Every structure is written in C-alpha cells, then in structure tokens.
Amino acid sequence: MAATSAPVYAAAAGTGGMDLLVQGANFEVLQTSRYASGHWAPTHQLFKNQPFYDFTDVVQNNRLRLFIEQPGGTVLTMEEAEQKSDGTWTTPTPMAGLPTIDATTSLPTRNYLAAAVVGTHVHLVYIGSTGQIMHTYERADGTWTYPDQVAPGSAYRHDKFASVSAASVGGLLQIAVVDQAHKTVLHTVRHADGTWASWGNVLSPAGKPRYWGMPIRVAMAGFGSSLQMVVLTNGQVAQYHTIRHADGSWSRWGDVNAQVDFNRAGFIGTVLQEVTAVNVSGNLQLVFASDDDKGSLFHTIRYANGTWSKAGLVQRATNLSSWRPSGVAGSAG
C-alpha cells in the first residue's frame, strides 16, 4: 500500500490510477484512489459536518473538481470545490451564475448530476426542478452560463428521468439518461454550434436484452471518438455494456455479470443500484454499489482488447466497511 499522507490522493490518479468519490450512509462524501498497481488508498472524508445531496466530479488540467447539490430548505444550491496540491480541499462555494433548484417541485436523488471536460470547458448536466435535463458550461472567467434545456425539441423532453451521464467524445459533449416512462435509455450529442441532436432511443440500434427490466442507472466514458456505456436494470444480475462507434452505430448489449461474476466477489444484495465509469489509460474502469446493508462496492475493468477482469470487492482493499457507501463518482487524472 502506498503512503497514507494527504498529497498521495492527488498524485495517484495521474500515474494511471483512478480517483473514487463515494457517498456514505449519512450523505458525507468520501475519497479513495485506485493506483495503477491495483492497490487502493485509505479512505477519508472530504468535509466534516457537510453532507451533500448529490455530486459529480471531473479532472481538468490535473485538478480534481467536485460539483455538488447542496440542500437548504426548499431549494438546492449548486456548489463546487477542488482538491489542492497538498491533497486538502477548498470549501464548497456556490457556482457563479447558476440559479437554485426548486426542491418542492422536483424529485432530486443521486445520479442527477453529471459533468465532462470538453475542450477547455467543463460542462455540467442535471435534472431541473420540473424534470427536464438542463445544461451549463463554465466560461473562461469562472462563471457559468445560464442553464439551457438539453434537446428541447425532442419527443422525450418531459419524460421521467432517473439518471444522467455525460462524456467527452470526439471533442463533443454526449449525454445519456434513463427514461423510466419508456423503460429505456436515451442519448444525445451537443454539436459544436451549441445545438442538440434529438434524443435517440439506445434500444433501437443496440437491441433489447432478454432480461432488461426497468433501467435505473446509466454511466459512460469517452474513448477518443467512441463511447462506452453501462446500464443497470432492476434485475438481480442485469448489467449491460455497449459501445457507440465513431460512425454513430452501436454494438449489441453485452452481459456484464456474465463476464465479471459479481456473486463470486461477494454480491449478496438484490440489485446493484449505482455505477460510475471512467477511462483510465484506455481501459474502462467501473465501480458498482450494491443495495445490501454493507453498501458493498465492486470494481472491474474492461480492457482495450475487450476482455474483462473479474469483479473485486473494494471493501477488501480499503477501509470503507464502516461508512456504508452508496452513490459513486469516479475520475482519472
């Protein structure tokens, strides 16, 4: 195991590793890292006495940045923080230019935020007060654009969205959402001129797996001009993977559990309820969260050659057992 001093956390991901942020049972945000060697850093809490409703993160210019929905009465405030070079974190502050979210008309929950670095800008997408998918990006002066609706002319624009993910692919922002009204996953692209492609139903080109059920979470990561996507459904062993190629075509869904065997790794829950996807040195790294009473986290890798590592229980590698983690967000340096 690597040294446990605070600066290690910032340095580890930059050498082919992954930073992992997880949410504990009391909504606190916790951090660990998986080194290129396969070892995990000890876990620590980011901020004392500051629970957050939801969060996502990116690495930009070697800076690990955290974006937060902070509850306060009837509204949610969008805040941000970043990890400093000594491993400590700045105090979360409101994101300049963004309005609060009315929490009385929305149904906020985890996985309602997603971020990606596209070119020189950080883009953030989230589910707004009335259910639409909203988008903003950071200007050069650190302020954020007033949110616009994603794919506003699409037939799916007012559906019941349960999860959102974002990725930079071929220099463009791509977004996916779980649409529980139609029991599917939708995908769109933001063009270079700021316009949006209409939402596309991923089940049309990728097919519908036999044990599909109700989709609950989507996560994805960009790999040059292609995209890799993972979807969780409410079946006990129903996790699926697909690739969107540079020409816009999709591969057929692959059964993740058949490749990685969560049961052998210690899965005893009824469903895997959260997932984060990260491109680490050209390989897809995934962390899944179970709904069991231990908040078990499972890690696996899909290598560039298409093979998979067997799932591993993260709690066997770092001090997470007492935290009961739930929501997860990962990034690579």
Side-chain angles (χ1 to χ4, degrees):
M1 183 67 68
T4 59
S5 58
V8 171
Y9 292 99
T15 58
M18 175 182 65
D19 282 299
L20 181 68
L21 301 178
V22 299
Q23 196 157 37
N26 297 318
F27 297 98
E28 68 273 15
V29 180
L30 317 170
Q31 182 182 23
T32 183
S33 297
R34 185 183 186 274
Y35 304 115
S37 65
H39 293 104
W40 289 80
T43 303
H44 69 287
Q45 185 173 343
L46 265 62
F47 313 106
K48 300 297 183 183
N49 303 316
Q50 289 196 53
F52 306 116
Y53 208 90
D54 191 18
F55 63 91
T56 189
D57 65 336
V58 298
V59 171
Q60 182 190 34
N61 299 327
N62 296 317
R63 300 157 55 208
L64 179 56
R65 303 182 63 186
L66 176 68
F67 306 102
I68 300 159
E69 281 185 345
Q70 177 70 270
T74 60
V75 299
L76 300 173
T77 301
M78 308 292 279
E79 297 185 349
E80 59 181 316
E82 70 174 72
Q83 190 172 33
K84 296 183 289 187
S85 59
D86 65 357
T88 61
W89 286 79
T90 61
T91 300
T93 57
M95 298 166 66
L98 293 187
T100 58
I101 301 172
D102 186 348
T104 64
T105 59
S106 63
L107 189 62
T109 187
R110 296 185 182 97
N111 281 80
Y112 273 29
L113 286 177
V117 179
V118 183
T120 59
H121 297 283
V122 177
H123 292 252
L124 181 73
V125 291
Y126 62 94
I127 299 180
S129 299
T130 55
Q132 302 102 322
I133 306 298
M134 306 302 294
H135 161 265
T136 180
Y137 69 88
E138 187 181 32
R139 301 183 182 95
D141 63 2
T143 62
W144 294 78
T145 60
Y146 196 84
D148 62 294
Q149 185 178 350
V150 175
S154 173
Y156 297 100
R157 63 186 180 276
H158 293 305
D159 282 354
K160 181 182 179 182
F161 301 118
S163 176
V164 60
S165 184
S168 177
V169 185
L172 298 175
L173 177 66
Q174 297 197 23
I175 295 173
V177 293
V178 167
D179 177 358
Q180 292 191 331
H182 291 88
K183 296 184 178 180
T184 191
V185 176
L186 306 177
H187 170 271
T188 186
V189 179
R190 185 178 186 269
H191 302 301
D193 64 0
T195 61
W196 296 90
S198 295
W199 288 114
N201 186 336
V202 178
L203 292 185
S204 295
K208 185 176 181 180
R210 181 179 178 183
Y211 301 108
W212 180 249
M214 176 66 79
I216 57 175
R217 294 291 180 263
V218 60
M220 57 188 192
F223 291 79
S225 57
S226 66
L227 172 77
Q228 295 196 42
M229 176 187 292
V230 172
V231 174
L232 307 185
T233 77
N234 60 355
Q236 184 174 358
V237 285
Q239 310 86 30
Y240 300 104
H241 169 269
T242 184
I243 299 173
R244 185 179 189 269
H245 304 290
D247 63 1
S249 63
W250 294 79
S251 68
R252 305 293 288 184
W253 294 103
D255 184 337
V256 175
N257 185 64
Q259 299 288 335
V260 308
D261 196 353
F262 292 108
N263 291 334
R264 184 177 179 181
F267 175 60
I268 58 173
T270 58
V271 67
L272 294 173
Q273 64 180 3
E274 307 284 353
V275 61
T276 190
V278 187
N279 178 348
V280 182
S281 301
N283 300 313
L284 177 67
Q285 294 204 27
L286 301 168
V287 176
F288 299 82
S290 171
D291 68 347
D292 63 27
D293 60 3
K294 297 179 181 178
S296 298
L297 298 180
F298 300 96
H299 172 268
T300 187
I301 302 173
R302 184 187 185 274
Y303 297 103
N305 64 6
T307 62
W308 293 77
S309 69
K310 293 300 182 182
L313 182 63
V314 177
Q315 276 87 344
R316 290 176 181 162
T318 188
N319 57 324
L320 269 170
S321 298
S322 61
W323 295 100
R324 291 186 58 206
S326 182
V328 291
S331 56

